[in-house]
Amino acid sequence: LFQCHQELLCRTVFIMIRYLFGLPFGCYFMQPHDYDKDNLKIKILENFEKQPVRNDNWSKDTFIDTNIHHSYGDDDNNNFNKIDFSSLVPTYGNFIRDYFKRMSTAKKFKYDFKIVNYTCTKEDQFMIPHIHTDSNFSFIHYLQFDKKQHLGTIFLNSHSFSDYLWDKDKLTSIFDRQDLNNSYLYKEFMLGTKEDMFIIFPSCVFHLVAPKKYTKERITVVGNININESN
């Protein structure tokens, strides 16, 4: 767990805050030479080769099983490499601090963040729709992502107004499907995702990893952010 009320020094590549279903999404890009990217990928892929479906009990109470390789709640499993995420911490901290600086706040506050999971998927693997119930904000870093093969995270619109739009077919034929400003028209939305992309969003947004046939592993690092007491 990393305390982030102090200055973290690293380079920031900021895109913008945009609003998906009316909720603030921050989008940044990692610089591959700023962290131990190659070693992270090697260790994660070694784990994936050992057991392509890891931690499948995570969704045991549903009729649709999550069948991906992910480490949530399974970090102490000695059958797998322990992943050292420490090289990511400075840049993640810088992105998160910048995200909050760009939002309207009434007073200063402290927060902490934690890397909670990595995921690795391939060949029709699926992760059920879920939210992160124990945090205020969440983030996803696309460590390995081929936009020609992979799908981005799919976010689900929980607002009911998209069901009641007059002449919805006309609206969706006119307004750009790829623009976040038009996301209110749709029940689901997928960001234009690229490798090294890092996104921050409120944890209450349902999201999933959809199945698709591809030959290269899709790898993400996932974490949570919690707001603490004000200064």
Side-chain angles (χ1 to χ4, degrees):
L1 200 63
F2 308 105
Q3 298 292 330
C4 297
H5 50 277
Q6 59 185 359
E7 190 74 12
L8 291 172
L9 301 177
C10 54
R11 188 162 31 190
T12 300
V13 179
F14 177 71
I15 305 301
M16 62 184 66
I17 288 183
R18 298 290 297 278
Y19 289 85
L20 178 64
F21 315 136
L23 300 169
F25 274 60
C27 178
Y28 300 81
F29 278 92
M30 301 287 293
Q31 298 297 304
H33 51 272
D34 282 348
Y35 67 102
D36 195 6
K37 181 175 183 177
D38 290 340
N39 189 54
L40 282 170
K41 288 169 60 174
I42 288 170
K43 295 295 186 183
I44 290 172
L45 289 172
E46 286 177 352
N47 286 347
F48 180 81
E49 290 300 319
K50 288 181 183 178
Q51 191 171 311
V53 178
R54 175 182 178 182
N55 198 13
D56 56 339
N57 288 329
W58 179 78
S59 62
K60 64 182 179 180
D61 294 329
T62 70
F63 291 108
I64 305 173
D65 289 333
T66 290
N67 63 348
I68 69 171
H69 178 100
H70 68 123
S71 62
Y72 183 76
D74 197 45
D75 292 321
D76 294 330
N77 190 332
N78 292 324
N79 293 325
F80 300 102
N81 296 321
K82 293 191 183 303
I83 307 302
D84 181 4
F85 294 113
S86 60
S87 66
L88 295 167
V89 172
T91 307
Y92 283 12
N94 199 49
F95 291 164
I96 295 165
R97 187 180 72 252
D98 185 84
Y99 173 75
F100 286 134
K101 284 176 65 176
R102 294 174 184 270
M103 298 175 68
S104 297
T105 56
K107 57 185 177 181
K108 294 182 179 180
F109 61 92
K110 296 179 181 180
Y111 60 90
D112 55 60
F113 74 94
K114 183 179 182 180
I115 298 168
V116 297
N117 187 26
Y118 75 81
T119 73
C120 188
T121 62
K122 189 178 180 181
E123 295 178 357
D124 286 333
Q125 291 183 301
F126 172 74
M127 190 174 200
I128 61 169
H130 63 283
I131 60 173
H132 296 199
T133 57
D134 55 351
S135 62
N136 301 118
F137 297 86
S138 296
F139 56 83
I140 303 173
H141 168 204
Y142 297 89
L143 181 68
Q144 179 165 285
F145 188 91
D146 186 335
K147 62 181 181 179
K148 294 181 179 179
Q149 293 195 40
H150 300 148
L151 292 174
T153 305
I154 296 175
F155 294 91
L156 304 181
N157 187 357
S158 60
H159 299 300
S160 61
F161 50 69
S162 65
D163 293 325
Y164 303 106
L165 292 168
W166 174 253
D167 211 357
K168 182 175 178 178
D169 288 344
K170 181 189 292 183
L171 294 175
T172 56
S173 70
I174 293 172
F175 295 103
D176 184 0
R177 180 71 169 90
Q178 305 303 314
D179 191 328
L180 268 70
N181 290 331
N182 301 325
S183 60
Y184 73 97
L185 294 168
Y186 302 97
K187 297 303 293 181
E188 59 184 35
F189 199 91
M190 184 169 60
L191 303 175
T193 308
K194 298 180 180 179
E195 184 163 304
D196 296 314
M197 190 172 173
F198 179 96
I199 59 173
I200 307 172
F201 55 93
S203 298
C204 59
V205 188
F206 274 92
H207 53 285
L208 63 96
V209 178
K212 185 186 177 185
K213 291 188 180 297
Y214 46 82
T215 58
K216 184 177 182 180
E217 295 83 356
R218 176 189 185 276
I219 304 173
T220 66
V221 180
V222 179
N224 291 329
I225 308 163
N226 277 308
I227 304 296
N228 298 324
E229 75 282 359
S230 60
N231 285 337

